[in-house]
Amino acid sequence: MLTVSETEVVVVGAGPTGLMLAYELTLAGVETLVLEKLPRRIEQVKGGGIQPRTAELLDSRGLLEPLLKRATPSDPVGGHFAALPVPLDCTPWNTRHPFPIAVPQWEIEELLEERAVAAGARVLRGTAVSGVEPDDEGVVVTADGLRVRARYLVACDGGHSTVRKLLGLPFPGRPGTHQAVLADIRLATVSPSVPQQLEHMSALMRRAGDYWAMLAPLGGDRYRFTFGRADQPDTSRDTSGVTQEEITVALQTVYGSETTLGAVDNSSRFTDATRQLEHYRAGRVLFAGDAAHIHPPLGGQGLNLGIQDSFNLGWKLAAAVQGRAPSSLLDSYHAERHPVGAQVLHHTSAQRVLADPNPSEDVAALRDIFVDLLRLPDANRHVAGLMSGLSLRYELSGGHPLTGHRVPDADLVTDAGPVRLSTLFGAGHAVLLDLAGTVPAGLGLPPRVDLVRATRTEDLGAAALLIRPDGYVCWATDSSAVHGSTLLAEIAEIADDLAKVD
């Protein structure tokens, strides 16, 4: 048992979003306690796809390489939009990781927890939150007899968020209309129709009778089986478990009687409900991941949206806790991430129509038109940027065209030798990258801002860039020289502008 009476931040939920946030906070030296109601991690695949932008962010913290060792072996498979048969091509976005990476969610959670704990976070499992009492100075959390006071609480406790319900916050949106099943299974025998390797989603999608299904190989006799019925309404209030008979009927209807079920490792139901909190911040309580937004699981967006929420919030919350920025800086988390979540809800709603397993004649015609569009390079690039997260731009102040954009992982040369840009962010600091001797010597930068002088092997579009800990440019100049006091004033103004975000 862990007895804690006070901490700086409580994170509720030990999924990828909560554990990523815990790592970001402890990396910055913030005392962090994670409360998780489940007594142990469930080895369920769930969201098992890392999109290219998430891969870049994980790479910047040194987390991607160990995850690649846990990834499901396969040839590179392009992303997809609504399971249409045209792969999305991310190579025009200048990324080292142009393909989604298949890693079971529990493997991602395990690594993130290992790193967060090693950095100083505390994770308490089997502890269900039952009370949340915020005030002007912090929040008191009650969980299974434990009573903790924290300066801030971040709810990362999923679509059925207990914290959200305890605070009585509405979760507006659209309820689900259809229900489906996700199961991790083992096959005793297989028919020729069972895929032997990971393929593009459109190749994995099968239909037979009233069923639609996808059977994705995970190695050996293990498969991820996703299925539903065209006439199956959303019965999300029905909490009954998924039966082996239910899985067997779907499996053999779609893949034939020669395909027999050996075992079910785990299973769950999901719906196509779409909802989003109106505000990601309620005083001293913030929301991230599925606690803030839910949507149909189309295109592998959920896990990535949550992890990117954590990258955006982590450095801001650390700065507020440590007094390096006013608490109003946290309002920029909502201002930046709420539109991103709304956009994901918007395009998953579009995919929901196009991916209808029993499309009407009109939807079938729309699918044909959309397939033709995706074959056009410019249209494919646009949708690939949307689905991968590589095209995301935050609306930040500043006149330079790079402001608000991600920076590709360029090859640089410093006095110490060649280095990749991504490796400069391992400590979770901001980086002032001087590529042309622009920044004067002896400049006294704010805490957790690293000055790196380098030459480039490719054009990054500026002589100097100030890059946030989450990899987005917040200041850039084309000038070959800037005055030190002017630069410091501009950096201070950037912080002020972020803190003033409505």
Side-chain angles (χ1 to χ4, degrees), residues 70-82:
R70 303 175 182 222
T72 301
S74 69
D75 294 328
V77 178
H80 73 92
F81 188 85

Side-chain angles (χ1 to χ4, degrees), residues 62-86:
L63 298 170
L64 183 63
E65 190 62 34
L67 284 176
L68 290 176
K69 296 177 181 178
R70 303 175 182 222
T72 301
S74 69
D75 294 328
V77 178
H80 73 92
F81 188 85
L84 297 176
V86 182

Side-chain angles (χ1 to χ4, degrees), residues 163-366:
V163 174
R164 193 182 62 232
K165 293 174 181 177
L166 287 171
L167 293 179
L169 298 177
F171 201 30
R174 180 179 60 205
T177 58
H178 289 84
Q179 187 183 93
V181 171
L182 170 66
D184 298 336
I185 65 175
R186 298 177 186 271
L187 295 182
T189 61
V190 299
S191 69
S193 63
V194 172
Q196 299 303 305
Q197 63 180 12
L198 280 179
E199 302 177 69
H200 189 260
M201 191 66 69
S202 61
L204 293 176
M205 177 75 77
R206 299 288 182 89
R207 294 179 178 86
D210 292 332
Y211 286 92
W212 62 267
M214 289 180 289
L215 196 59
L218 301 176
D221 62 351
R222 297 174 58 245
Y223 289 80
R224 181 186 188 185
F225 187 36
T226 311
F227 69 90
R229 285 169 48 190
D231 62 347
Q232 180 66 52
D234 174 21
T235 54
S236 55
R237 292 185 180 181
D238 178 11
T239 58
S240 61
V242 181
T243 66
Q244 289 200 17
E245 180 182 3
E246 186 178 354
I247 295 172
T248 296
V249 170
L251 187 66
Q252 296 195 339
T253 298
V254 179
Y255 296 96
S257 58
E258 298 173 34
T259 304
T260 57
L261 182 65
V264 179
D265 291 340
N266 50 71
S267 61
S268 62
R269 302 183 190 276
F270 64 90
T271 77
D272 59 349
T274 299
R275 298 183 182 278
Q276 185 178 28
L277 270 177
E278 293 180 351
H279 301 284
Y280 285 9
R281 182 186 183 190
R284 293 278 174 161
V285 180
L286 299 108
F287 295 83
D290 288 353
H293 40 68
I294 59 171
H295 53 81
L298 292 160
Q301 299 296 291
L303 179 147
N304 298 273
L305 189 58
I307 287 180
Q308 291 178 43
D309 283 348
S310 294
F311 268 92
N312 185 286
L313 176 59
W315 65 273
K316 296 174 181 177
L317 185 52
V321 168
Q322 295 171 342
R324 294 182 282 107
S327 64
S328 54
L329 174 64
L330 298 175
D331 293 331
S332 71
Y333 164 64
H334 167 84
E336 291 180 354
R337 293 304 297 175
H338 193 276
V340 176
Q343 184 182 56
V344 170
L345 267 62
H346 188 64
H347 71 64
T348 52
S349 294
Q351 291 183 77
R352 178 176 172 269
V353 174
L354 291 170
D356 190 328
N358 189 27
S360 67
E361 184 177 345
D362 290 343
V363 171
L366 182 62

